[in-house]
Amino acid sequence: MKLVTYSVDGRQSVGFLVKDQVCDLGKAAKAFKFDIDSGADLVSVAKNEYRDILGKIEEAAQTSLEDDWCVPLSKAKLHAPYRPRQNILIAGGNTRDEFVPQRMRNGKPMLRYHTKAPSAVIGPGDEISWPRQLTTEVHAEPHLAVVIGETASYVEPSEVMNKVFGFTVATNVVAQDLKRKHGQWDKAVSLDTFMPWGPVVVTADEVDVAELACRLWLNERMAISGGAESGLLKTAEVLSELSFGMVLHPGDVVLTGTAESVGHGEVPERWLQDGDVVQSAIEGVVQITNPVSTY
Amino acid sequence: MYLATIKNAAEIIPAFTFGTSVVSIHAAAKALGHSFASPLPATLLEVIEAGPDVWEELEEFYDSLRGSELPGEGRQAWWWNSDEVSFEPPIIPRKNPWVVGANYYQHLANGFARIPRPAIAPPHVEYFTKAVNSIVGHDADIVYDKRVTRTVDFELELAVVIGKYGKDVPVADAYDWVFGYTIANDMSARELQLGHQQYHRGKSLDGFCPLGPVIATTRETGDPNRLRMRQWVNGELKQDWPVGDMIYKIDKLIEVLSEGMTIEPGEVIICGTVPGVGFEQLPQSWLQHGDVLEAEISRIGMLRNTIKMAGIS
């Protein structure tokens, strides 16, 4: 199922995509007599306990789209899926890039886990924006964003993907000079507007993570490209490691690392600037485009 | 006023505290026929989000109770002794608490005594975060798993609770953004903190952000730089230092954090620890199953937690 948070005529609700239509989940559930509280954004249904019921609603909708709960996608405004209830986790340095050496523990690289404040969340089309006097070295990375659907605590890699609700794309916007300035990275990735993500969350049953490609285009030129699992640790290894000691709850979001670093590895360095357009995608699944504007 | 969130008979409610007395705000208002201009929100976080008019009304109600007599007939349903209720974290913020690394020079100097280079103050504020999921309240057990860490350490810190939205807050006005203060123990799994280099995971294991027991509003604390902080482990004094000895003071921390980033009501900034933690000792010493932490800041209160190792009852 492909879920979105969307609005028509200013009224926001949770929807799912069927062909070129977006369907109101709450109204569809009611029409087909399913009991689900769809809330105002999709975090309320991003729970594995709803897997079966969501599947049934989608199946029923395939054959009977009704005008009173479906609109053409072109008439709907799509938003960020939701604002997570705690910071977004980022598997920093999950790359084979030689610029980011990792320490090892028990034969495994120790990734640079850091976080992004949920106040940074924006949706498709929204401006990525920052004060020019604060930072001049902003770059963007495409990430696979994992939406947790079920409480996960001490879960082995072989089991942990069962705790995932779905996937989407996030653009991890980073002020590279603020990373150096503050030493710890959380502030450098948490400026307002630095978390474009979504809009479509695709449920885990529809994709095979190993097959996914993660890409970023800067002004329609492909700048970053690679497998979503081309990093040092696979998605399941990242989630499992985090779950050992750090409980994950439904709605928590993990960015599992970018394919290849860009910007600070290039000579000459190319930082984002006014008028740029950034597009990130999980190829064939979801993409998000945001213009850049400084102030 | 002093504000807490307590659990009484499975109900989680906001409360006033007066020394060791704990009063349910909603139940007291109802019993005494006290009305507010608009219905009081259900949680302390929402009270903070409701803004200064609501805080003022609440403070008037607090003051009207302050002088009154201790529990009498009919009060048992909303007025307790603090050992009769359990304390939840005063608030669960809507983003991770920010923590400032290396913000007291002597802590920094002690910590790096064994490293053959001079300890220098960080050139800028070092902010990391602790997961919202890691927040626990007063008297909660902090349970670690030895598969994950064997180097659990304590760090007593002042926690600032922000009262209103702000971005690019000027340092001269920064204290206007403070709602109040509470106590945090910035629990740390040192091998994870240092091994991952970014501190988040080593600082965010389950239970690693004890917070509370109360929020003291700025009226109660006065100038926070004049407060003193002390921490005992199993009754032995380990940390004892003036709050105001920070390298980057509270107003500067707010100014820099809000550069390009909106700070919000209920946002928590934890200001860094003072000398005396296990990491600084020769040899280094780590917390063990059964250790009791008592973290005190004058004019705020004392936050007590017990260390447990998973698998030991």
Side-chain angles (χ1 to χ4, degrees):
Chain A
M1 192 177 220
K2 294 179 174 63
L3 288 154
V4 292
T5 301
Y6 76 108
S7 56
V8 176
D9 300 329
R11 207 186 64 85
Q12 186 177 309
S13 47
V14 181
F16 59 101
L17 306 184
V18 181
K19 299 166 195 138
D20 59 348
Q21 303 273 305
V22 53
C23 305
D24 186 302
L25 179 66
K27 287 181 180 170
K30 207 170 164 189
F32 300 124
K33 300 189 167 37
F34 288 108
D35 184 23
I36 189 166
D37 178 12
S38 66
D41 61 34
L42 75 81
V43 74
S44 51
V45 298
K47 296 176 180 142
N48 287 354
E49 62 193 88
Y50 287 151
R51 265 180 191 159
D52 287 352
I53 209 164
L54 288 172
K56 285 174 184 162
I57 293 169
E58 186 184 27
E59 198 183 325
Q62 297 295 337
T63 53
S64 56
L65 295 176
E66 299 287 341
D67 282 347
D68 56 342
W69 46 265
C70 291
V71 295
L73 198 45
S74 57
K75 289 192 176 160
K77 178 169 170 50
L78 302 182
H79 303 289
Y82 56 93
R83 174 179 158 144
R85 46 173 286 289
Q86 68 164 5
N87 284 31
I88 296 99
L89 274 152
I90 306 173
N94 192 16
T95 170
R96 298 186 187 280
D97 190 328
E98 63 186 295
F99 293 102
V100 195
Q102 311 296 342
R103 300 208 176 126
M104 304 292 282
R105 190 186 192 214
N106 304 329
K108 264 189 4 187
M110 299 185 81
L111 303 184
R112 301 190 190 194
Y113 293 112
H114 61 290
T115 73
K116 190 188 280 283
S119 43
V121 163
I122 58 171
D126 295 340
E127 281 182 352
I128 300 168
S129 183
W130 63 87
R132 278 188 298 275
Q133 91 286 355
L134 180 62
T135 167
T136 55
E137 298 182 7
V138 176
H139 79 121
E141 307 166 343
H143 282 246
L144 178 70
V146 180
V147 174
I148 302 297
E150 180 176 343
T151 299
S153 183
Y154 294 91
V155 186
E156 295 293 341
S158 59
E159 296 292 323
V160 77
M161 296 309 278
N162 296 330
K163 307 293 184 182
V164 173
F165 177 78
F167 303 96
T168 186
V169 70
T171 304
N172 182 21
V173 185
V174 181
Q176 207 64 35
D177 46 359
L178 294 187
K179 272 188 173 179
R180 290 197 304 274
K181 178 177 167 182
H182 295 297
Q184 295 290 305
W185 296 350
D186 304 63
K187 174 74 202 293
V189 301
S190 290
L191 301 189
D192 291 352
T193 75
F194 272 26
M195 174 70 182
W197 77 304
V200 177
V201 172
V202 56
T203 49
D205 57 301
E206 293 200 11
V207 291
D208 176 356
V209 179
E211 304 279 302
L212 298 178
C214 202
R215 304 231 158 92
L216 182 135
W217 291 264
L218 181 56
N219 303 326
E220 302 190 332
R221 183 181 68 90
M222 190 184 290
I224 305 180
S225 173
E229 297 226 297
S230 60
L232 297 170
L233 296 185
K234 306 272 187 234
T235 307
E237 293 173 298
V238 168
L239 299 179
S240 172
E241 175 168 63
L242 289 172
S243 83
F244 271 72
M246 280 175 65
V247 63
L248 296 171
H249 289 301
D252 286 347
V253 177
V254 183
L255 310 189
T256 53
T258 194
E260 293 158 47
S261 66
V262 71
H264 60 290
E266 287 185 353
V267 182
E269 289 174 339
R270 165 69 163 95
W271 306 112
L272 296 183
Q273 43 193 250
D274 259 328
D276 281 346
V277 174
V278 177
Q279 182 175 63
S280 295
I282 302 301
E283 192 84 308
V285 178
V286 52
Q287 62 184 42
I288 186 165
T289 305
N290 300 88
V292 171
S293 144
T294 61
Y295 61 93
Chain B
M1 60 186 156
Y2 289 89
L3 297 161
T5 296
I6 61 164
K7 193 184 214 173
N8 180 58
E11 205 188 0
I12 293 176
I13 52 176
F16 291 139
T17 68
F18 303 88
T20 58
S21 291
V22 180
V23 173
S24 162
I25 300 173
H26 286 96
K30 195 174 173 196
L32 300 172
H34 185 96
S35 62
F36 298 98
S38 53
L40 200 63
T43 70
L44 205 45
L45 176 62
E46 290 163 336
V47 167
I48 296 169
E49 289 172 338
D53 292 348
V54 171
W55 313 341
E56 268 174 41
E57 264 193 281
L58 207 55
E59 201 144 60
E60 281 170 26
F61 185 42
Y62 183 87
D63 289 343
S64 75
L65 293 172
R66 196 202 278 268
S68 58
E69 306 215 341
L70 287 172
E73 286 299 315
R75 282 187 173 169
Q76 291 87 344
W78 49 272
W79 190 307
W80 306 276
N81 198 283
S82 57
D83 58 14
E84 297 171 317
V85 297
S86 71
F87 285 81
E88 296 288 314
I91 56 170
I92 302 290
R94 298 188 197 275
K95 64 169 105 160
N96 288 7
W98 296 92
V99 191
V100 180
N103 202 25
Y104 288 83
Y105 184 78
Q106 196 58 47
H107 163 63
L108 190 67
N110 293 351
F112 294 97
R114 74 197 62 240
I115 297 172
R117 66 170 188 226
I120 49 166
H124 292 284
V125 188
E126 187 181 82
Y127 297 104
F128 58 90
T129 77
K130 292 174 90 74
V132 169
N133 290 347
S134 71
I135 298 173
V136 293
H138 177 62
D139 268 340
D141 289 342
I142 300 165
V143 185
Y144 72 98
D145 188 310
K146 66 179 182 191
R147 288 176 294 173
V148 175
T149 178
R150 294 168 191 242
T151 55
V152 179
D153 204 356
F154 56 88
E155 292 194 353
L156 164 61
E157 307 189 18
L158 178 75
V160 179
V161 180
I162 296 296
K164 58 178 182 178
Y165 289 95
K167 191 169 173 179
D168 301 317
V169 172
V171 69
D173 302 333
Y175 280 106
D176 294 346
W177 267 260
V178 179
F179 173 77
Y181 300 93
T182 185
I183 304 166
N185 231 330
D186 175 18
M187 303 304 298
S188 307
R190 297 299 186 193
E191 77 276 72
L192 299 181
Q193 177 194 347
L194 300 174
H196 286 292
Q197 303 180 67
Q198 293 295 307
Y199 295 170
H200 177 73
R201 183 173 180 235
K203 299 278 194 172
S204 293
L205 298 182
D206 299 336
F208 268 36
C209 189
L211 203 64
V214 298
I215 295 173
T217 56
T218 53
R219 185 187 73 168
E220 308 297 340
T221 59
D223 179 359
N225 293 296
R226 300 175 64 87
L227 305 179
R228 192 159 188 99
M229 48 213 284
R230 293 189 181 85
Q231 170 137 265
W232 294 262
V233 179
N234 302 326
E236 187 184 336
L237 185 63
K238 296 286 191 181
Q239 296 186 282
D240 182 6
W241 208 260
V243 167
D245 193 36
M246 295 174 196
I247 297 169
Y248 297 106
K249 307 282 197 250
I250 293 162
D251 49 359
K252 186 71 179 171
L253 297 179
I254 294 171
E255 180 195 41
V256 176
L257 184 63
S258 70
E259 285 171 349
M261 190 196 81
T262 304
I263 56 171
E264 304 172 339
E267 184 141 359
V268 174
I269 306 170
I270 300 174
C271 299
T273 201
V274 296
V277 304
F279 178 73
E280 297 167 21
Q281 311 305 316
L282 292 168
Q284 292 178 325
S285 65
W286 312 123
L287 293 168
Q288 307 295 329
H289 178 82
D291 285 347
V292 176
L293 305 176
E294 291 171 301
E296 180 189 81
I297 301 181
S298 51
R299 291 183 177 235
I300 302 176
M302 185 197 277
L303 173 67
R304 183 178 57 219
N305 296 92
T306 303
I307 304 295
K308 295 280 172 67
M309 190 172 88
I312 301 183
S313 51

